[in-house]
Amino acid sequence: MKITYKIAIIAAVAGLQQAHAQKRDENLGIEVVNVVKPYTPTVSDAFKVKETPVIEDETNTKKEEIKYNIFSYPVASTFSPAKGKAATVDQEAREKYYSNYLTLGLGNYGTVNGEAFVSHNIDDTQYVGALLRHQSSQGGIKNVKADDNFSTNAIDLTYGNRQKEYTWSTDLGYQRQVYNWYGLDYTAYNDMDFNAFDSKQTYNTFYIGGKISARKSFFHEAQAQYKHFSDGFSSSENRFFITPDFDVKIGKEKVKFGLVADYVGGDFNRSFFVNNGISYSNFNIGVQPSILFQRKDTSVQFGAGVFYNISSQNGVSDNKFFIYPQIKASHKLVGDLMVVYAGAEGGLKQNSYADFVGVNPFVSPTLTPITPTNQQFDLYVGLKGKLANPVSYNLRAGYLSEDDHAFFLHNSNGVPDINSNAYVYGNSFGLVYDNLKTMSFFGELKADFSNTVKAGINGTYYGYTTDQQEAWNMPSMKVGANLDIDITEKWHAGTNVFFLGDRKDVILTENGADGFDRNIVTLKSYFDVNAHVNYKYNDRLTGFIKLNNIANQNYQKWVNYPVQGFQFLLGATFKFN
């Protein structure tokens, strides 16, 4: 009886499980079958095995009861399993790192380009380094009669210290540059003895500075530098700046706080027309607080810049107070494929004699008192992202409003004679300050097709509004493109092309009646094609050839200043420890 109950209970449980399984699998879903090869049936495929086969024997014999017995028998084994061994993965050989190198290149126009860098780790936390640079050319520009050679010699020394909580470094350097005011209108000076014409200008730069950054601290980093700049006509300028930054998290938000202290002061021996000295000093003090909000796909930074300028021009003081917006925002519309961004930023830009020489080395040492540029606001909106995995893009439209923008303007020819200074022959540039509104449209495409092929193209269109007759020496358009290819493991090649649109300047010519005739000239647009090829002989030695101005364009970057034609530079780089 007990056996009967047990059988009944087991049957009931089995039935419940079956019912449950059927209920759970009521919706079996849809199964997609991908047919790789079409099915071609044959006659033999028509045979079907029946679920319950018919027994054709005349009588059903009684099944014999089968009993299974297992006989255990010990077997001695000498098998010893081998230890597991991880499979090896083929890896590319890592390129060996060298901490020092020497580079030497020689080219036409008597060009010499040399560079040497050496470094040494004092211990695990300290290091020192030194960089020596030389670049020179003997000139030889077509149709230029005055000396047109130039050279740059520089040395930079570095000491660094890397600690667990902070890192800091200090730099000490000196640079000497030599240029010539060769940009004369030679049709007006056919009778000049250019063998006796000394057109040389020399610039000297000495600087010392440092940088410190901290980890896990509200103090983020700070930079400081002192620079002394002088030229061959007794002009002198001193500049010192320090920019500490702090940031701290308040809840989920990051609050940043930046300080700026930037001083520049100097003097020129005389002005262009009058033998009176020029002096200037500008001290900008600013605070730039901001708070950053980040929520998933949106990032917004609200901030402001508050500056106070203490200025003295030829002994006349003029102090001003400025407030600027510093707002940036971005939002991911479609992940990294489409990101929209916008901003409204402004600031007080410090100008200096050294910075102007860096842009145009042919300025005269008679500049009007140097003044900061008040960048009231820079409004922009853009869209960036990826068209495909290796291709990225960036589109941007902007509107910039500036007061006291510095324009380079061609100096007049004065009343030159052989005893006059070399820059008064209509071959130098001065400065003029005015308001400027700039509308710009920028577009860029970058493509990293693989580790061996990279390319890019970008372009910017500018539209200017100013109180002057023209936005002097400001280009209407800039376009650039580049391509880099690793041809083989040893060969690498690259090229870059840039295009600069029309610019305008004015030539002032004395008319003999205590006045000047104004003649507006247009500097034609130009393009420059450059290329380079490198051959890696081994890990230490690499040879190269550089080709510049391949199209041999005799364009003018500044009025009456043509550039060298086709140039080549052949050299090698050697690495060592």
Side-chain angles (χ1 to χ4, degrees):
M1 191 70 179
K2 291 181 179 180
I3 295 175
T4 304
Y5 288 149
K6 290 182 179 180
I7 294 173
I9 292 171
I10 292 172
V13 172
L16 290 174
Q17 289 180 345
Q18 184 177 4
H20 176 72
Q22 289 177 350
K23 183 177 182 180
R24 185 182 58 186
D25 296 335
E26 283 178 357
N27 185 9
L28 297 179
I30 298 173
E31 181 71 20
V32 178
V33 178
N34 294 322
V35 178
V36 177
K37 179 181 179 181
Y39 174 61
T40 305
T42 62
V43 175
S44 62
D45 294 324
F47 174 80
K48 181 178 180 182
V49 178
K50 297 182 178 180
E51 293 181 359
T52 307
V54 177
I55 300 174
E56 297 179 353
D57 293 345
E58 293 181 358
T59 60
N60 294 331
T61 58
K62 184 179 179 181
K63 291 182 180 181
E64 293 289 340
E65 183 180 358
I66 301 174
K67 294 181 180 182
Y68 298 93
N69 293 319
I70 299 174
F71 298 97
S72 298
Y73 186 82
V75 177
S77 175
T78 58
F79 173 75
S80 177
K83 292 183 178 179
K85 187 176 181 181
T88 58
V89 178
D90 294 334
Q91 294 182 348
E92 293 183 0
R94 181 179 296 179
E95 185 174 354
K96 188 175 181 179
Y97 171 76
Y98 296 94
S99 55
N100 311 305
Y101 69 86
L102 296 172
T103 295
L104 178 63
L106 303 174
N108 60 339
Y109 294 100
T111 301
V112 178
N113 192 350
E115 197 168 291
F117 176 77
V118 292
S119 63
H120 174 68
N121 290 326
I122 300 174
D123 53 33
D124 292 340
T125 61
Q126 302 178 83
Y127 65 92
V128 292
L131 175 64
L132 298 172
R133 293 181 292 118
H134 171 83
Q135 183 181 9
S136 63
S137 176
Q138 299 308 308
I141 301 175
K142 186 178 180 181
N143 298 326
V144 171
K145 299 178 181 180
D147 289 338
D148 57 350
N149 59 76
F150 63 88
S151 66
T152 298
N153 293 283
I155 179 171
D156 298 276
L157 305 176
T158 299
Y159 168 80
N161 195 309
R162 297 182 291 256
Q163 298 294 332
K164 185 177 180 181
E165 299 298 330
Y166 64 90
T167 62
W168 67 276
S169 63
T170 182
D171 303 294
L172 177 68
Y174 172 76
Q175 177 177 266
R176 185 177 187 270
Q177 298 171 286
V178 177
Y179 289 93
N180 282 276
W181 285 295
Y182 65 84
L184 286 78
D185 180 2
Y186 291 100
T187 59
Y189 298 104
N190 283 326
D191 299 330
M192 181 179 288
D193 182 8
F194 288 101
N195 291 324
F197 179 60
D198 185 6
S199 58
K200 185 172 70 174
Q201 168 66 300
T202 303
Y203 299 112
N204 297 284
T205 305
F206 168 81
Y207 74 89
I208 183 171
K211 179 180 179 180
I212 184 171
S213 58
R215 303 180 185 90
K216 299 179 181 179
S217 172
F218 71 95
F219 169 73
H220 181 54
E221 67 175 14
Q223 296 185 56
Q225 186 185 78
Y226 165 75
K227 179 190 290 185
H228 178 75
F229 185 76
S230 61
D231 65 18
F233 289 80
S234 300
S235 306
S236 179
E237 180 183 77
N238 295 296
R239 184 175 184 181
F240 172 78
F241 68 83
I242 183 170
T243 57
D245 289 327
F246 305 87
D247 58 53
V248 62
K249 273 198 170 184
I250 301 178
K252 295 182 179 180
E253 324 310 336
K254 179 180 286 188
V255 177
K256 297 183 178 181
F257 193 79
L259 299 175
V260 177
D262 191 345
Y263 168 84
V264 63
D267 57 76
F268 300 102
N269 267 0
R270 57 165 298 160
S271 64
F272 190 79
F273 292 105
V274 183
N275 192 16
N276 290 334
I278 299 173
S279 64
Y280 59 92
S281 68
N282 296 289
F283 187 27
N284 298 338
I285 305 172
V287 294
Q288 300 177 96
S290 65
I291 183 170
L292 178 63
F293 296 93
Q294 289 182 312
R295 295 292 184 274
K296 197 176 179 180
D297 294 334
T298 303
S299 175
V300 180
Q301 180 174 311
F302 291 101
V306 181
F307 286 82
Y308 187 68
N309 171 249
I310 304 172
S311 177
S312 176
Q313 310 290 337
N314 290 327
V316 179
S317 299
D318 184 17
N319 303 335
K320 295 180 181 179
F321 185 76
F322 304 91
I323 299 179
Y324 302 102
Q326 293 182 355
I327 303 171
K328 295 184 290 185
S330 65
H331 177 71
K332 294 181 179 180
L333 296 176
V334 187
D336 293 333
L337 300 178
M338 190 177 293
V339 180
V340 62
Y341 63 94
E345 301 181 67
L348 190 61
K349 176 187 175 184
Q350 186 73 283
N351 292 317
S352 70
Y353 183 31
D355 291 342
F356 290 135
V357 168
V359 177
N360 183 354
F362 308 112
V363 294
S364 63
T366 60
L367 302 182
T368 57
I370 292 177
T371 301
T373 296
N374 174 18
Q375 294 182 335
Q376 298 171 315
F377 55 83
D378 181 10
L379 305 178
Y380 59 87
V381 61
L383 183 68
K384 62 182 180 180
K386 293 183 177 181
L387 296 176
N389 212 21
V391 182
S392 62
Y393 66 92
N394 189 6
L395 302 173
R396 168 175 164 155
Y399 181 77
L400 174 63
S401 177
E402 298 174 289
D403 284 346
D404 291 326
H405 180 92
F407 298 90
F408 292 105
L409 190 64
H410 190 262
N411 284 329
S412 70
N413 59 8
V415 187
D417 58 65
I418 200 62
N419 296 318
S420 298
N421 290 322
Y423 51 82
V424 299
Y425 293 84
N427 57 343
S428 65
F429 297 83
L431 291 176
V432 59
Y433 294 90
D434 210 329
N435 300 332
L436 178 67
K437 306 290 189 297
T438 305
M439 178 72 75
S440 63
F441 298 94
F442 170 80
E444 181 182 47
L445 276 177
K446 289 184 178 180
D448 293 342
F449 297 108
S450 65
N451 293 330
T452 59
V453 180
K454 297 181 181 180
I457 184 171
N458 64 79
T460 308
Y461 169 79
Y462 300 97
Y464 305 106
T465 303
T466 179
D467 296 337
Q468 299 183 85
Q469 192 172 359
E470 297 287 347
W472 307 118
N473 284 295
M474 301 290 287
S476 58
M477 181 182 298
K478 289 182 180 179
V479 178
N482 67 280
L483 175 65
D484 289 286
I485 303 176
D486 289 333
I487 303 172
T488 66
E489 186 178 346
K490 291 184 175 293
W491 287 94
H492 170 83
T495 182
N496 65 79
V497 180
F498 65 87
F499 172 85
L500 199 71
D502 293 345
R503 293 137 293 138
K504 292 188 177 181
D505 205 331
V506 60
I507 295 180
L508 302 175
T509 305
E510 191 176 23
N511 56 23
D514 295 331
F516 291 89
D517 294 328
R518 293 171 58 90
N519 180 27
I520 295 179
V521 295
T522 299
L523 281 78
K524 294 182 179 180
S525 59
Y526 66 86
F527 70 93
D528 202 331
V529 182
N530 309 298
H532 67 271
V533 178
N534 298 343
Y535 174 72
K536 183 178 178 182
Y537 181 75
N538 54 37
D539 288 342
R540 291 177 178 269
L541 184 61
T542 301
F544 63 83
I545 181 170
K546 295 182 179 180
L547 307 176
N548 295 329
N549 197 4
I550 295 175
N552 199 28
Q553 298 284 300
N554 193 29
Y555 60 83
Q556 295 185 15
K557 191 172 182 181
W558 307 98
V559 172
N560 293 333
Y561 276 91
V563 300
Q564 294 176 340
F566 171 73
Q567 307 152 46
F568 71 86
L569 187 72
L570 183 65
T573 297
F574 178 73
K575 303 175 185 177
F576 61 97
N577 282 325

